Amino acid sequence: MGRTHALTGWCAGLAVAPLVGASSIHQAIAFAAATAGFALLPDLDHPGAGASRLLGPFTGALSWLLRRLSAALYALTKGPRDERSKGTHRHMSHTILFAGGLGALTMWGTRAGGWYAVAGVVLFGVLLAADALGDWLLLLAGAATAWWALTASAAGELQQLTGWLGVAVAVGCVTHCLGDALTESGCPFLFPVPIAGETWYELRPPAFLRFRTGGRFERLVIAPLCLVGALVLVPGVIAGLIAFYDQLFAPAAA
């Protein structure tokens, strides 16, 4: 479900942020908020998804175009054992090629378009995440981004943003696909690598490890674990918990 995708995207963003130079708490939060939003983007290929309804006719038109492109690509490339499908939902936008390509396009577009392009991509990502997680994320991400901007030079800030935005888009899309691969329907993540006669082979774990989208396991196990990870992965939280533990129990041990 959208909330789980956004939470896993948030956790992935916090884990990846230090690797791209977003190591301070405000940089990591801004990066994670963007990644959480783009973890919802692959479902733009479904007309009822939050990403498709977010900006009304604009995202609705993007959803329509993505579904048509995905269907055409599926008809052109499907293997002899691929299922009979329209090739719209969970196809083109649910592949590693889409994730990498969109990430590279975002990086190029933000560098070429300057600050307006950067602001547009960041805002779109945060709005996607807030639509799934709640409006509190708008305030948190906005404060983190403003803090970041105030503590860095304008040129350096823009250069950092253009670099990590492409990574945020790619990581978010990959996280979405890995999540879908754990469900009963699976995900054709490795397209166009042919597997068992299928170009769109749905990757999924053994049957006993799969779960139904929106089922009890997702709501009662996965979502709470993601909430814990969303807090623990924030820079400084683990160190703070360790320090608190030491202060609480060290005197007693002595």
Side-chain angles (χ1 to χ4, degrees):
M1 301 295 288
R3 183 178 180 83
T4 307
H5 279 310
L7 283 172
T8 54
W10 173 273
C11 292
L14 289 175
V16 172
L19 302 179
V20 298
S23 54
S24 66
I25 185 170
H26 52 287
Q27 291 174 341
I29 288 175
F31 182 86
T35 306
F38 294 119
L40 296 162
L41 193 64
D43 275 347
L44 192 65
D45 65 0
H46 191 292
S52 302
R53 297 181 283 104
L54 182 67
L55 300 179
F58 176 71
T59 47
L62 289 178
S63 175
W64 178 86
L65 178 60
L66 181 59
R67 294 198 305 274
R68 295 301 179 273
L69 291 174
S70 182
L73 181 63
Y74 182 75
L76 184 66
T77 61
K78 65 179 180 179
R81 298 188 61 185
D82 277 312
E83 61 188 10
R84 299 181 67 179
S85 169
K86 294 180 180 179
T88 52
H89 183 47
R90 283 200 184 185
H91 281 82
M92 187 179 77
S93 63
H94 287 68
T95 65
I96 192 170
L97 282 180
F98 181 86
L102 192 61
L105 182 63
T106 301
M107 189 176 295
W108 172 83
T110 51
R111 285 176 176 170
W115 174 249
Y116 294 105
V118 170
V121 173
V122 171
L123 181 60
F124 183 62
V126 173
L127 286 175
L128 279 170
D131 185 56
L133 297 178
D135 292 341
W136 60 267
L137 190 63
L138 287 173
L139 297 175
L140 181 62
T145 303
W147 185 6
W148 187 355
L150 290 173
T151 55
S153 65
E157 173 71 10
L158 182 58
Q159 187 62 31
Q160 280 186 292
L161 283 171
T162 56
W164 67 249
L165 270 181
V167 178
V169 170
V171 170
C173 291
V174 168
T175 303
H176 180 108
C177 294
L178 292 178
D180 279 354
L182 295 175
T183 65
E184 294 176 352
S185 299
C187 181
F189 186 60
L190 295 181
F191 168 84
V193 177
I195 302 174
E198 296 183 36
T199 309
W200 298 85
Y201 183 83
E202 290 88 358
L203 292 177
R204 53 172 71 90
F208 70 93
L209 291 175
R210 304 172 197 166
F211 62 88
R212 183 172 59 85
T213 301
R216 284 188 175 183
F217 186 75
E218 179 179 354
R219 291 183 288 106
L220 301 179
V221 178
I222 294 180
L225 285 176
C226 288
L227 281 172
V228 173
L231 295 174
V232 171
L233 288 170
V234 173
V237 169
I238 293 179
L241 290 174
I242 293 174
F244 176 75
Y245 177 86
D246 289 341
Q247 290 180 355
L248 193 62
F249 295 101

